[in-house]
Amino acid sequence: MKKGFTLSEVLITLGIIGIIAAMTLPALVGNYKMKTFEVAFKKQYSLIQNALNVVTLQEGISRCYIFYPHGTISYKLETSDCELLQERMISLLKLKKYPEDFKDNYAKKDVILANGGKSINSNCNYDYFVYVSEPYIANDGTIFMFYTTHLMIDVNGEKGPNKWGHDVFFMVYSNHNNYSTSNPKIFLTDEFCSIIEKGGKFPRTILRNQKENSKTNGYTW
């Protein structure tokens, strides 16, 4: 009966293990990074929504949102409180102004879609909103880009990969068509305008702990 292994057999076994590790390790690392970004996004989303609740309920600042007028199929904006809302949000979140030259790190809409990315609304001018947004940075390195009813969040700052739906997320303020009160609650959502690069996830997919699917348009919270 053969006892033990020969040196050649041990080397072959180690070689096979090495090949398997080389094949699986990149995927494991990639999945770990995505989970890290998702956890960071959930944290920032919670902080932002809580800040919106404070501004809306305690200070009565709410006229800053995207909505669908009843009986129409096109969305409109309410922006009369947007400047004041931004000031309050920056104060509550203790954000500091940040230089704008890093914006070139983000892929353009045409490039994203040409390479397998997806958008909620193909008419949304993502490139323009990024270009005109005002960037601020939090103490933990998260970058926020404000523009009226739009808010973009980079949970990893300039470290990269700087990819939409991975570590960068595009969202808007919505009142969910609630006109029953003079100060409707503002929700941070992706229902009117959001974009992801290949392999990324829309904000709601992360918040609901779901897998991304092929459906990209026409859904609501």
Side-chain angles (χ1 to χ4, degrees):
M1 180 181 292
K2 183 177 180 180
K3 296 183 180 180
F5 295 95
T6 65
L7 178 59
S8 60
E9 288 174 326
V10 172
L11 293 175
I12 291 172
T13 302
L14 291 175
I16 293 173
I17 293 173
I19 292 172
I20 294 174
M23 294 173 62
T24 59
L25 188 58
L28 292 175
V29 172
N31 289 336
Y32 172 77
K33 288 183 178 180
M34 281 296 294
K35 288 297 181 183
T36 300
F37 296 149
E38 290 176 15
V39 170
F41 169 70
K42 288 179 179 180
K43 172 187 174 183
Q44 298 304 331
Y45 179 89
S46 178
L47 290 173
I48 295 166
Q49 188 60 61
N50 286 338
L52 285 171
N53 294 343
V54 169
V55 172
T56 301
L57 299 176
Q58 295 185 8
E59 301 189 39
I61 301 170
S62 65
R63 311 300 292 181
C64 182
Y65 47 76
I66 293 178
F67 66 101
Y68 276 91
H70 294 302
T72 69
I73 58 173
S74 59
Y75 67 84
K76 294 188 177 182
L77 310 176
E78 169 58 69
T79 61
S80 57
D81 280 347
C82 285
E83 184 175 351
L84 185 56
L85 175 64
Q86 179 175 320
E87 290 178 3
R88 292 293 188 272
M89 293 290 286
I90 291 170
S91 176
L92 284 171
L93 296 171
K94 296 180 172 57
L95 306 180
K96 297 179 181 179
K97 196 78 174 71
Y98 197 72
E100 298 194 12
D101 54 1
F102 74 96
K103 293 179 184 178
D104 291 336
N105 296 330
Y106 302 126
K108 306 298 183 185
K109 173 184 174 181
D110 290 345
V111 174
I112 293 172
L113 299 182
N115 287 281
K118 296 183 290 186
S119 67
I120 293 295
N121 182 349
S122 60
N123 293 320
C124 187
N125 197 339
Y126 303 97
D127 299 343
Y128 173 76
F129 292 134
V130 172
Y131 176 75
V132 298
S133 65
E134 296 182 28
Y136 289 81
I137 191 168
N139 291 332
D140 63 2
T142 301
I143 294 177
F144 299 89
M145 292 170 279
F146 295 88
Y147 177 69
T148 60
T149 58
H150 299 75
L151 178 61
M152 293 133 275
I153 309 165
D154 188 334
V155 300
N156 206 33
E158 290 194 60
K159 294 180 182 179
N162 297 318
K163 297 175 64 176
W164 297 104
H166 293 253
D167 61 329
V168 193
F169 303 91
F170 197 114
M171 305 188 78
V172 299
Y173 299 141
S174 169
N175 73 335
H176 284 193
N177 272 21
N178 176 18
Y179 303 99
S180 61
T181 63
S182 58
N183 295 313
K185 184 176 179 179
I186 300 175
F187 299 91
L188 185 65
T189 81
D190 63 2
E191 61 188 310
F192 299 109
C193 190
S194 193
I195 194 167
I196 61 174
E197 297 183 54
K198 185 176 180 179
K201 291 183 178 181
F202 286 112
R204 73 177 55 205
T205 305
I206 295 174
L207 295 171
R208 292 176 175 176
N209 298 313
Q210 297 174 336
K211 292 183 178 180
E212 194 58 57
N213 56 44
S214 60
K215 188 175 181 180
T216 59
N217 292 293
Y219 58 76
T220 57
W221 285 81

